[in-house]
Amino acid sequence: MEWYSIDTWIVVIAALAAGACALLGNFLVLRKMSMMGDAISHAVLPGLAIAFIVTGARASLSMFIGAAIAGVLTAVFTQWISRFGKVDEGASMGIVFTTLFALGLLLIVQGADHVDLDPSCVLYGAIELTPLDVVWRPTLFGLSIEVPRTALVLAGVTLFNAVFVVAFFKELRISSFDAELATTMGIDSKLMHYLLMTLVAVTTVACFESVGSIIVIAMLIVPAATAHLLTDRLWLMVVLSVLIAIGSAALGHMSALTVPAWFGFADTSTSGMMAVMAGLIFSTVMLFAPKYGVLQRFVKRTQAVK
Amino acid sequence: MQIEETAIACKSPPLTIRDLTVAYHRKPVIWDIDLSIPEGKLVSIVGPNGAGKSTLIKACLDLIPRTSGEINIYGQSYKKMRNRVGYVPQRETVDWDFPVSALDVVAMGTYGKLGWFRRVSKRSKALSMEALERVGLADYAHRQISQLSGGQQQRTFLARALVQDADIYFMDEPFAAVDAATERAIVELLKELQKRGKTVLVVHHDLATVPQYFDWTVLLNMRVVAAGPTDEVFTQENLRRTYGGKLTLLTQAANEVVQSR
């Protein structure tokens, strides 16, 4: 395996994206809203497209705002349709995000066709190219480091999410566990819900162009679900989920470089491999987790029978 | 002093409800409720399934919008009085696989008074531990909550209500599917709360124990059929009016009740 500084940056960027998603993912998983991440990550597309058409530029800020609005609207519409249309919440979510996603695709194809907002780039990302866009060259210990723009943006988003989770830890915990009690105490669960949805939308957009939506969805759900099998403590679950996300990113890139060669192929998509790694880690944990693993529970049950 | 306290109590009872109607999808669930609960009573809310018992509680807690009417807690709006209100939701409403310990759950009772951004302090942890001791669960404090029995889970919820340190409590079926030990523990706790001058409203299903546990009763079936001291309102006639046609079973229950006095 040949390792260049570009590989280090790919791993750093992927790890930042994965960590940002995993932080929020814990609360999606615990609120039984895992698929909301999926829905929002698709539904932000029209927000991106409209922001792009209105401003005519791929300026990050307007894109963020457009996406955040679209993301929150997804959550709001989902609530409305399930409440007023008497439709099951899952179905209502499916209706909202497919419609918004399709609308976004149409807008991009029709309105923004002549410019470089590429639907496939939104879906798969282009992490292999992101390290080339260097915006900052600090010197550290005599080494000159070339920091890509994406790394800075994602570091900002990750830091913001981390601050959010730490600052609102108590509020997130109670509103995720017992939304009604929280609301009666003046910790408005709906407000927490929409704050979380907004952050998911913004995070999704920040991660799109680098790692693509496949890995965003995977990292919102898989590390958190894995961590839940490993601990009974919420804060530890959050920490573990971030570590698992970073681990998947690093292992994913290394495997993308090495594994295909074993079968005589050239290297493969890093994003794809990262999501696969997250899935593998989950399966391993599901089987071998010390307390909630399938094997452990099997052993316990057979012992109980004896 | 005595006179002053009485005066305050007269001015603003813990709960007054005027002309309350709540509707889902334009169908009224509870209708035209007028109610005034005096201070320091253990109040059961009794009625058939779908009578709107939980709806009534949730309307009092400002959790669901009211179609019309007014609810006052100690003479003021819920928002102003929320720190004096405690709530014990139905046990099935939460996910017991959530990664928290019994102690964590109890400590949630202190969140309301802590306010935003503030960490859970050592003091609130100590308070929570005390409350767990009072419901007999000190040894289970650090267990993940799915490893508690149903009765222990319910007692965890009650301990959480204790640390809320409220003046009026709303409890949604705390006696549902609990073991005898838990039932006794809950009754003891209710009496103790009453001794400390708290007002407690409990949605209750077991008609046979109503006169034994509660000194005040609200019979509800969309409207308030009767409300007042249990001795006066918990009669066969009122029960029949509350439960309507489905009464064979209830006649028996009511007979039992009358006999048990």
Side-chain angles (χ1 to χ4, degrees):
Chain A
M1 182 170 65
E2 285 177 83
W3 193 269
Y4 304 98
S5 80
I6 191 174
D7 292 305
T8 309
W9 278 118
I10 288 174
V11 168
V12 167
I13 287 166
L16 285 169
C21 292
L23 277 166
L24 303 179
N26 287 290
F27 300 98
L28 292 181
V29 167
L30 289 174
R31 286 161 175 249
K32 318 232 176 279
M33 300 191 325
S34 308
M35 297 323 283
M36 198 54 146
D38 189 359
I40 286 184
S41 58
H42 282 87
V44 291
L45 201 56
L48 288 178
I50 290 170
F52 180 74
I53 291 168
V54 170
T55 61
R58 271 179 53 170
S60 292
L61 189 64
S62 57
M63 298 276 246
F64 272 140
I65 295 169
I69 294 172
V72 173
L73 282 182
T74 311
V76 172
F77 287 157
T78 301
Q79 286 278 318
W80 279 1
I81 290 182
S82 83
R83 179 146 30 110
F84 296 116
K86 293 194 188 179
V87 181
D88 162 69
E89 188 145 331
S92 150
M93 201 185 290
I95 295 164
V96 173
F97 93 79
T98 46
T99 309
L100 286 178
F101 183 58
L103 181 70
L105 277 180
L106 288 176
L107 283 171
I108 288 182
V109 171
Q110 292 302 319
D113 201 22
H114 49 287
V115 278
D116 62 339
L117 193 72
D118 180 3
S120 74
C121 174
V122 172
L123 281 179
Y124 311 115
I127 193 165
E128 291 84 352
L129 303 178
T130 47
L132 304 177
D133 182 10
V134 176
V135 290
W136 190 35
R137 295 184 169 77
T139 312
L140 215 66
F141 305 116
L143 277 168
S144 93
I145 301 169
E146 301 191 320
V147 184
R149 187 180 59 85
T150 321
L152 283 181
V153 172
L154 287 178
V157 172
T158 309
L159 186 69
F160 192 83
N161 287 355
V163 169
F164 171 75
V165 168
V166 171
F168 290 102
F169 190 72
K170 161 171 122 296
E171 287 77 12
L172 283 166
R173 166 147 73 184
I174 190 171
S175 66
S176 304
F177 176 66
D178 195 340
E180 290 193 331
L181 180 78
T183 306
T184 65
M185 286 179 164
I187 297 168
D188 192 336
S189 295
K190 268 200 194 125
L191 179 69
M192 292 310 297
H193 174 79
Y194 287 119
L195 267 178
L196 189 61
M197 292 306 122
T198 311
L199 284 190
V200 168
V202 169
T203 305
T204 303
V205 176
C207 297
F208 262 165
E209 59 171 340
S210 49
V211 294
S213 65
I214 292 170
I215 206 167
V216 170
I217 297 163
M219 290 303 166
L220 277 171
I221 303 170
V222 184
T226 312
H228 194 186
L229 289 172
L230 288 169
T231 176
D232 287 335
R233 294 267 103 108
L234 181 57
W235 66 267
L236 192 56
M237 176 176 163
V238 173
V239 171
L240 285 175
S241 72
V242 172
L243 292 178
I244 291 165
I246 294 171
S248 313
L251 281 176
H253 186 57
M254 286 185 233
S255 326
L257 292 180
T258 53
V259 174
W262 302 345
F263 303 100
F265 298 107
D267 57 1
T268 184
S269 151
T270 287
S271 312
M273 204 48 132
M274 286 174 187
V276 170
M277 275 302 141
L280 279 180
I281 294 175
F282 175 82
S283 317
T284 314
V285 168
M286 191 181 81
L287 286 175
F288 301 108
K291 201 159 155 193
Y292 299 114
V294 174
L295 278 180
Q296 182 57 33
R297 276 185 299 163
F298 178 75
V299 169
K300 246 193 220 156
R301 217 176 312 144
T302 45
Q303 278 172 350
V305 170
K306 276 177 204 164
Chain B
M1 192 66 201
Q2 185 67 45
I3 295 162
E4 218 177 273
E5 267 172 25
T6 323
I8 290 167
C10 283
K11 236 193 301 179
S12 46
L15 176 68
T16 47
I17 301 175
R18 238 180 313 149
D19 300 332
L20 173 70
T21 296
V22 177
Y24 284 133
H25 297 299
R26 296 193 167 189
K27 251 171 50 195
V29 182
I30 49 178
W31 206 32
D32 209 8
I33 305 275
D34 281 290
L35 207 55
S36 180
I37 305 288
E39 183 141 38
K41 300 289 182 210
L42 292 183
V43 184
S44 67
I45 301 174
V46 177
N49 288 330
K53 303 182 294 284
S54 294
T55 305
L56 176 63
I57 282 193
K58 284 182 184 171
C60 291
L61 293 161
D62 215 14
L63 283 171
I64 49 176
R66 0 181 236 275
T67 313
S68 67
E70 199 182 328
I71 300 173
N72 283 317
I73 310 269
Y74 292 102
Q76 300 204 42
S77 71
Y78 178 83
K79 279 199 177 68
K80 282 190 189 144
M81 287 289 122
R82 70 163 101 251
N83 276 339
R84 298 180 68 180
V85 181
Y87 177 38
V88 178
Q90 285 186 30
R91 186 151 47 90
E92 313 85 84
T93 55
V94 304
D95 169 20
W96 292 92
D97 286 326
F98 203 89
V100 284
S101 65
L103 187 65
D104 290 331
V105 172
V106 177
M108 286 179 193
T110 63
Y111 287 9
K113 281 173 188 157
L114 275 176
W116 294 80
F117 301 115
R118 302 267 302 278
R119 309 256 110 196
V120 180
S121 61
K122 284 222 173 82
R123 205 182 106 74
S124 40
K125 281 222 171 114
L127 278 176
S128 309
M129 200 61 209
E130 244 171 66
L132 272 174
E133 266 164 40
R134 294 239 316 264
V135 298
L137 287 180
D139 294 341
Y140 300 85
H142 298 289
R143 282 222 192 161
Q144 198 274 331
I145 50 176
S146 66
Q147 290 150 30
L148 303 172
S149 73
Q152 290 168 338
Q153 290 175 347
Q154 191 64 61
R155 278 189 267 165
T156 308
F157 263 14
L158 282 161
R160 184 175 69 178
L162 282 181
V163 301
Q164 272 192 281
D165 194 25
D167 293 319
I168 176 168
Y169 286 98
F170 294 88
M171 304 187 178
D172 205 344
E173 299 207 29
F175 291 102
V178 297
D179 52 287
T182 299
E183 180 145 350
R184 275 197 304 276
I186 299 175
V187 171
E188 246 170 67
L189 207 86
L190 291 179
K191 303 266 179 212
E192 198 192 313
L193 286 172
Q194 184 177 32
K195 229 180 272 164
R196 282 157 52 192
K198 318 281 187 184
T199 309
V200 189
L201 284 88
V202 179
V203 172
H204 195 56
H205 254 142
D206 181 18
L207 290 176
T209 52
V210 168
Q212 198 185 332
Y213 295 166
F214 300 99
D215 47 15
W216 237 74
T217 294
V218 176
L219 290 156
L220 187 76
N221 191 350
M222 238 176 91
R223 301 157 175 270
V224 174
V225 177
T230 307
D231 297 339
E232 290 168 26
V233 299
F234 201 69
T235 61
Q236 241 190 72
E237 172 54 26
N238 277 341
L239 280 171
R240 187 173 289 118
R241 282 170 57 211
T242 311
Y243 286 83
K246 323 159 231 175
L247 207 74
T248 12
L249 249 179
L250 288 158
T251 319
Q252 279 172 16
N255 281 337
E256 257 174 55
V257 164
V258 172
Q259 278 159 20
S260 73
R261 280 204 197 143

